C-alpha cells in the first residue's frame, strides 16, 4: 500500500518509534522509507520477527515507550499534544493453577491439547509485557503536562492483536472520543 514512500512524502510531519535491540535504546524515525519504519515499529516480540537493518535488529518501540507523547512534546514545532491510549484496563488472567512447579511432561501434554490457545496466550502475554513495562511512564504523562489532552479509550471486544477489527475500533474510538474532545475544547475557549 505504501510502495516506496518516504516519511518526507506525507502531508503532515510523521514519526514513529522502534526499539533497537542491538544498541538497547529507543529510536525515533522521522525520515526515510515508511514501510521499513512501520514494520519495525510494530515488530511485537513473539508476534512478528525483528527487522534487520544493516547489522542491527529493530522491534516495536512499545517495548520501551508504549505511548511516545513525550517525544512529540519535545518537538518545538508542535504546540498541542493529544495522546490516545487504547491499552485495555486489565491484562490477562488464568483459571489454571500449575502449582509451585510444572514438569516438562505436563507442559508438553497441555501444549499438545491446547497448542493454538497457548500460542495466542503467549502472544498476548508479550503485548502485555510491553504495556506493563511502560505503565509508569504513561501514568506520569497523564498528569505532568506532557499531554494537553489524554484520551483513554475503552475498546471492549477489540484486543491488542485484533487487526481484523479495524472498522469497529475506529467507530468505537470516534464515538468515545468525540464528547471528550468537545468538553476539552470548551474548557480551552472559556
Amino acid at each position: 500500500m505504501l510502495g516506496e514512500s518516504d516519511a518526507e512524502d506525507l502531508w503532515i510531519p510523521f514519526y514513529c518509534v522502534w526499539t533497537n535491540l542491538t544498541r538497547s535504546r529507543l529510536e525515533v524515525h522521522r525520515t526515510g522509507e515508511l514501510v521499513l519504519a512501520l514494520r519495525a515499529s510494530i515488530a511485537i516480540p513473539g508476534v512478528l520477527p525483528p527487522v534487520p537493518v544493516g547489522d542491527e535488529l529493530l522491534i516495536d518501540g512499545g517495548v520501551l515507550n508504549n505511548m511516545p507523547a513525550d517525544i512529540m512534546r519535545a518537538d518545538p514545532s508542535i504546540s498541542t499534544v493529544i495522546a490516545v491510549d487504547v491499552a485495555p484496563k486489565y491484562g490477562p488472567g488464568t483459571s489454571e493453577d500449575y502449582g509451585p512447579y510444572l514438569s516438562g511432561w505436563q507442559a508438553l501434554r497441555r501444549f499438545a491439547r491446547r497448542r493454538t490457545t497457548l500460542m495466542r496466550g503467549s502472544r498476548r502475554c508479550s503485548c502485555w509485557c510491553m504495556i506493563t513495562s511502560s505503565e509508569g511512564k504513561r501514568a506520569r504523562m497523564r498528569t505532568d503536562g506532557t499531554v494537553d489532552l489524554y484520551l483513554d479509550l475503552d475498546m471492549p471486544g477489540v484486543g491488542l492483536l485484533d487487526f481484523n477489527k479495524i472498522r469497529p475500533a475506529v467507530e468505537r474510538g470516534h464515538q468515545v472520543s468525540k464528547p471528550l474532545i468537545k468538553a476539552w475544547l470548551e474548557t480551552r475557549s472559556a
Side-chain angles (χ1 to χ4, degrees):
M1 183 171 101
L2 296 172
E4 295 185 20
S5 300
D6 288 337
E8 299 89 339
D9 297 331
L10 299 174
W11 294 357
I12 59 174
F14 166 86
Y15 81 90
C16 66
V17 296
W18 58 55
T19 299
N20 185 320
L21 286 179
T22 307
R23 297 179 184 266
S24 299
R25 69 182 186 199
L26 186 75
E27 295 181 352
V28 181
H29 177 87
R30 297 178 193 276
T31 62
E33 190 179 345
L34 277 173
V35 170
L36 172 73
L38 293 174
R39 174 60 181 84
S41 75
I42 64 163
I44 301 167
V47 177
L48 293 172
V51 175
V53 174
D55 60 350
E56 298 180 354
L57 288 175
L58 310 176
I59 60 171
D60 192 317
V63 169
L64 295 178
N65 189 344
N66 201 38
M67 193 177 72
D70 54 331
I71 293 168
M72 189 173 283
R73 174 57 71 203
D75 185 334
S77 70
I78 299 171
S79 60
T80 302
V81 176
I82 299 172
V84 179
D85 192 349
V86 295
K89 300 280 181 268
Y90 301 102
T94 185
S95 59
E96 292 192 42
D97 181 3
Y98 298 119
Y101 63 90
L102 176 67
S103 80
W105 292 113
Q106 281 179 302
L108 186 58
R109 276 194 300 274
R110 287 180 182 179
F111 181 77
R113 280 182 281 171
R114 298 181 308 131
R115 191 175 83 213
T116 304
T117 302
L118 286 172
M119 293 301 286
R120 269 196 315 264
S122 174
R123 289 179 177 149
R124 287 186 183 124
C125 188
S126 294
C127 292
W128 271 102
C129 287
M130 291 183 352
I131 291 170
T132 301
S133 70
S134 64
E135 176 51 33
K137 189 172 194 171
R138 288 190 353 255
R140 280 191 305 281
M141 284 192 276
R142 288 192 286 261
T143 59
D144 71 1
T146 299
V147 298
D148 298 297
L149 174 60
Y150 179 81
L151 297 173
D152 190 3
L153 303 184
D154 185 28
M155 297 295 210
V158 180
L160 295 171
L161 301 175
D162 288 338
F163 302 119
N164 61 334
K165 294 184 179 178
I166 291 173
R167 181 153 320 277
V170 168
E171 290 169 1
R172 173 74 178 157
H174 184 261
Q175 173 190 11
V176 172
S177 64
K178 193 173 179 181
L180 298 172
I181 294 170
K182 184 178 178 185
W184 175 70
L185 288 171
E186 288 173 0
T187 64
R188 287 180 56 122
S189 63

